[in-house]
């Protein structure tokens, strides 16, 4: 999982890789300290949960830019149910170069591109993304941090309403 998805220890527990946070924390620390073989890289920390404490982020495969780390952890949070069920997921440099989604899910009934909206992109940038998806027959899942932003995205996505879905992380 850590080869494709930047994730926190808590997310590893939620996926079901470890039975408890304590066991996961010990294993992650052991893998980070290893010099050879199967090692794990700590990419940095993000303020991800409401607890106020920063969570360390780990990943072995591709390394997202440090300023996009929180965004990537949120994408992983959206993908947790799909990771659990073993769906083929593509992220990072392997995604479609034209659409440039945050992640792509390959399901039995079609392809779903995942876009995580952190509230930093303006109308012009979102409209450009939506225009790119107009040319695609694949489905799109827009995830946002709150319901207000989700409603705004829904209004902007009227042109692709047959192939777009929305989710708010405030409901997850």
């Amino acid at each position: 999982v850590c080869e494709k998805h930047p994730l926190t220890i808590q997310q590893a527990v939620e996926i079901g890789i470890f039975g408890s946070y304590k066991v996961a924390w010990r294993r992650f620390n052991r893998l980070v300290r290893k010099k050879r073989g199967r090692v794990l890289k700590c990419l940095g920390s993000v303020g991800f949960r409401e607890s106020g404490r920063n969570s360390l982020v780990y990943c072995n495969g591709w390394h997202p830019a440090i300023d996009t780390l929180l965004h990537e952890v949120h994408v992983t949070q959206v993908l947790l149910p799909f990771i659990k069920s073993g769906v083929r997921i593509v992220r990072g440099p392997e995604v479609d170069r034209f659409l440039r989604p945050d992640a792509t899910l390959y399901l039995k009934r079609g392809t779903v591109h995942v876009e995580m909206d952190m509230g930093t992109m303006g109308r012009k940038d979102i409209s450009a993304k939506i225009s790119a998806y107009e040319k695609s027959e694949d489905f799109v899942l827009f995830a946002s941090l709150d319901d207000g932003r989700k409603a705004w995205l829904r209004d902007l996505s009227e042109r692709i309403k047959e192939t777009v879905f929305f989710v708010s992380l405030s409901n997850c």
Side-chain angles (χ1 to χ4, degrees):
V1 171
C2 286
E3 290 179 12
K4 292 186 179 184
H5 308 286
L7 78 162
T8 64
I9 294 174
Q10 183 61 41
Q11 288 174 324
V13 173
E14 289 175 27
I15 293 169
I17 298 172
F18 299 99
S20 71
Y21 186 91
K22 187 175 181 178
V23 171
W25 183 84
R26 270 192 258 137
R27 181 70 176 142
F28 272 51
N29 279 315
R30 195 174 312 129
L31 288 172
V32 167
R33 282 185 269 128
K34 278 180 80 173
K35 300 294 182 204
R36 286 195 225 165
R38 206 176 164 117
V39 298
L40 189 61
K41 293 187 174 114
C42 180
L43 303 179
S45 66
V46 294
F48 178 59
R49 302 280 181 182
E50 290 80 27
S51 67
R53 296 178 63 194
N54 281 351
S55 298
L56 294 175
V57 181
Y58 302 88
C59 189
N60 260 2
W62 63 282
H63 294 235
I66 196 76
D67 60 334
T68 64
L69 212 47
L70 179 60
H71 176 266
E72 294 300 336
V73 170
H74 280 295
V75 172
T76 300
Q77 189 67 29
V78 170
L79 297 175
L80 284 179
F82 302 103
I83 295 169
K84 281 183 188 179
S85 61
V87 170
R88 182 172 167 250
I89 302 171
V90 174
R91 285 183 75 175
E94 299 175 15
V95 297
D96 183 302
R97 293 195 190 283
F98 175 70
L99 297 173
R100 295 182 339 201
D102 295 319
T104 301
L105 309 171
Y106 292 99
L107 306 172
K108 291 178 183 174
R109 295 187 174 222
T111 302
V112 179
H113 300 289
V114 178
E115 292 286 353
M116 180 69 220
D117 177 61
M118 299 291 289
T120 56
M121 290 177 73
R123 178 181 294 273
K124 182 180 173 186
D125 295 328
I126 297 285
S127 294
K129 280 234 178 243
I130 291 168
S131 294
Y133 284 116
E134 279 183 298
K135 300 172 182 93
S136 173
E137 294 180 9
D138 298 335
F139 294 101
V140 184
L141 172 65
F142 274 105
S144 63
L145 296 178
D146 59 51
D147 291 328
R149 188 72 176 188
K150 181 174 88 171
W152 182 75
L153 288 168
R154 184 176 286 129
D155 291 341
L156 284 178
S157 303
E158 186 65 31
R159 300 185 314 246
I160 58 170
K161 64 182 175 186
E162 289 83 23
T163 59
V164 67
F165 302 96
F166 301 93
V167 67
S168 168
L169 288 186
S170 64
N171 298 336
C172 292

